[in-house]
Amino acid sequence: NAGVTQTPKFQVLKTGQSMTLQCAQDMNHNSMYWYRQDPGMGLRLIYYSASEGTTDKGEVPNGYNVSRLNKREFSLRLESAAPSQTSVYFCAILRGHSYNEQFFGPGTRLTVL
Amino acid sequence: GQQLNQSPQSMFIQEGEDVSMNCTSSSIFNTWLWYKQDPGEGPVLLIALYKAGELTSNGRLTAQFGITRKDSFLNISASIPSDVGIYFCAGQGYTGNQFYFGTGTSLTVIP
């Protein structure tokens, strides 16, 4: 998974609970991303971070917050989980030829009851 | 939000057959990427395309960046059972920060 780690791998929450999904990279890349993947929907961007200390909203940011406190880590927080947030969450980094290739972590499978 | 039109949605083929899938967009893209995803795993990058008209191969895989910059196709030759999975296209907009994904092509290879 191109040096991208995600924790936890699986999580079950009750509606209203909060949690933080963690993503870490070991290759000193600037840009990091959070996506969610739902059946038949492909991957949709939640938030991204072009560099340490900066974050921007993607296509589906509602209900999520992110934090990029250092270059290595990019976390995604659900303050009050809802069943609609049941999904598989992927973190990605940007690297490669002219820095326009995305590489993904293994994912976190979240179920909200 | 923008999503790419990827077709076909699913394919069932015999081992040894060739496969072709494509993606189209209403927007021009700077880069096209093709990924494969196995069950329970993250997407894995197969091929990256950077210039209009570019044709790139990776083993039995060949992909092309459309001349109009609004489409791309992926071909798999002589399919084998391990080709089974979901294939995604992705396009990078000219702002450089965001990528847009197709809805995937599910490939089943029958031995």
Side-chain angles (χ1 to χ4, degrees):
Chain A
N1 294 108
V4 181
T5 59
Q6 290 184 239
T7 55
K9 289 197 128 177
F10 301 93
Q11 184 71 49
V12 178
L13 294 176
K14 294 181 180 178
T15 297
Q17 287 186 315
S18 62
M19 79 161 294
T20 300
L21 283 64
Q22 303 285 356
C23 175
Q25 51 130 340
D26 60 7
M27 290 166 295
N28 205 37
H29 296 293
N30 284 322
S31 295
M32 298 183 74
Y33 300 76
W34 275 106
Y35 290 89
R36 60 178 289 172
Q37 185 177 34
D38 302 298
M41 297 290 290
L43 287 136
R44 292 183 293 169
L45 182 64
I46 305 171
Y47 271 94
Y48 65 97
S49 170
S51 61
E52 178 183 344
T54 68
T55 60
D56 287 284
K57 294 179 180 179
E59 180 186 352
V60 288
N62 292 343
Y64 305 96
N65 286 303
V66 290
S67 178
R68 183 88 183 271
L69 296 178
N70 56 61
K71 200 169 189 178
R72 184 174 175 271
E73 297 169 306
F74 188 33
S75 60
L76 179 71
R77 182 160 178 84
L78 286 70
E79 290 291 350
S80 179
S84 61
Q85 294 178 305
T86 294
S87 189
V88 182
Y89 291 86
F90 289 101
C91 177
I93 55 97
L94 195 64
R95 73 177 202 203
H97 179 98
S98 300
Y99 297 99
N100 48 7
E101 295 172 11
Q102 277 196 330
F103 290 84
F104 288 83
T108 294
R109 282 141 191 85
L110 175 67
T111 300
V112 183
L113 303 175
Chain B
Q2 180 172 11
Q3 283 212 312
L4 306 181
N5 297 312
Q6 186 172 348
S7 63
Q9 189 173 359
S10 62
M11 302 180 75
F12 294 82
I13 61 168
Q14 293 288 139
E15 183 176 357
E17 288 184 350
D18 296 344
V19 172
S20 184
M21 59 191 78
N22 68 80
C23 266
T24 59
S25 169
S26 58
S27 300
I28 293 173
F29 285 127
N30 187 38
T31 301
W32 281 94
L33 306 173
W34 284 93
Y35 291 87
K36 179 177 183 273
Q37 186 176 26
D38 293 325
E41 305 288 333
V44 174
L45 184 64
L46 299 173
I47 291 180
L49 302 157
Y50 307 107
K51 294 189 297 188
E54 179 182 356
L55 186 71
T56 298
S57 293
N58 178 8
R60 293 178 296 105
L61 278 61
T62 301
Q64 185 159 31
F65 193 144
I67 289 291
T68 65
R69 295 186 169 273
K70 294 182 178 181
D71 63 322
S72 178
F73 72 75
L74 175 70
N75 287 343
I76 305 173
S77 63
S79 59
I80 59 178
S82 63
D83 290 335
V84 167
I86 300 178
Y87 291 79
F88 290 98
C89 61
Q92 181 191 27
Y94 272 87
T95 60
N97 289 326
Q98 294 202 33
F99 291 76
Y100 302 92
F101 284 79
T103 51
T105 295
S106 175
L107 178 63
T108 301
V109 179
I110 303 166

